[in-house]
Amino acid sequence: MGDPFYNLKNSIKKDFAGLSFSEERKNAVKETIRRKQSHLELHYWKVETLKNILESLQDGAKHGYDISTQLFRKNELSFKSNEGQLYILLHLLENKKIITSNWIEDRKYYSLTTKGKKHVASWEHRGSKQYASLNYLIEEASL
């Protein structure tokens, strides 16, 4: 039996053989994609937002709803119109090994890693320099 997609592949090759984009158009598409995905990088988020999330995990593991509730209590409204963005940020922090997660009874609980605890501790000891530490974290995590 032959390739069932043979005719389709040949048709696609013929239809798109002469298709090309200018460098200007390629760059415009890349820029549009970059802008739409910029919220997928830590540097997109406010320093205060990241600080509040990590501080909320300082007392122990919490699931997303608990973190969200604590953020609203602190008047952190970054996720008010789109709470799903919180989970994107939590996932970014997890990918950067700043937090970790575990599933417990159908809920995903997040907690600080050793690296995350070091950043929180450095803010407390440095006082007004805490933002420099968090900016460093953001820069490091965005690499």
Side-chain angles (χ1 to χ4, degrees):
M1 186 170 203
D3 184 359
F5 297 108
Y6 179 77
N7 290 333
L8 178 62
K9 290 177 186 176
N10 282 337
S11 176
I12 290 173
K13 285 179 187 176
K14 289 176 187 173
D15 290 344
F16 294 100
L19 186 63
S20 66
F21 293 100
S22 68
E23 282 303 311
E24 182 181 342
R25 181 66 182 144
K26 287 178 189 177
N27 290 335
V29 169
K30 287 177 185 177
E31 178 62 23
T32 300
I33 292 170
R34 188 194 62 73
R35 270 187 276 127
K36 287 185 178 185
Q37 292 181 340
S38 67
H39 70 282
L40 300 177
E41 299 294 334
L42 283 178
H43 66 269
Y44 171 82
W45 302 94
K46 293 187 303 184
V47 170
E48 190 68 29
T49 301
L50 293 170
K51 179 180 173 280
N52 286 333
I53 289 173
L54 297 181
E55 284 181 346
S56 74
L57 295 172
Q58 198 172 9
D59 300 332
K62 292 182 179 58
H63 55 81
Y65 182 75
D66 283 345
I67 295 169
S68 176
T69 302
Q70 279 193 314
L71 292 174
F72 287 131
R73 284 187 198 141
K74 288 184 174 187
N75 206 25
E76 173 61 59
L77 304 175
S78 297
F79 308 105
K80 184 177 181 182
S81 62
N82 188 356
E83 288 185 353
Q85 293 293 314
L86 172 62
Y87 294 96
I88 291 172
L89 182 52
L90 290 171
H91 184 70
L92 282 170
L93 292 168
E94 189 174 6
N95 283 342
K96 301 299 182 178
K97 310 282 191 247
I98 297 165
I99 64 173
T100 188
S101 67
N102 292 309
W103 284 94
I104 302 172
E105 297 179 14
D106 297 331
R107 282 191 166 178
K108 192 173 187 178
Y109 284 80
Y110 300 91
S111 57
L112 291 173
T113 62
T114 303
K115 182 178 178 180
K117 289 175 185 176
K118 286 179 184 177
H119 282 289
V120 172
S122 73
W123 304 332
E124 292 172 350
H125 294 297
R126 293 182 185 175
S128 64
K129 294 183 181 178
Q130 68 186 6
Y131 287 103
S133 173
L134 193 52
N135 281 326
Y136 171 77
L137 168 68
I138 292 169
E139 289 170 12
E140 174 188 300
S142 296
L143 297 176

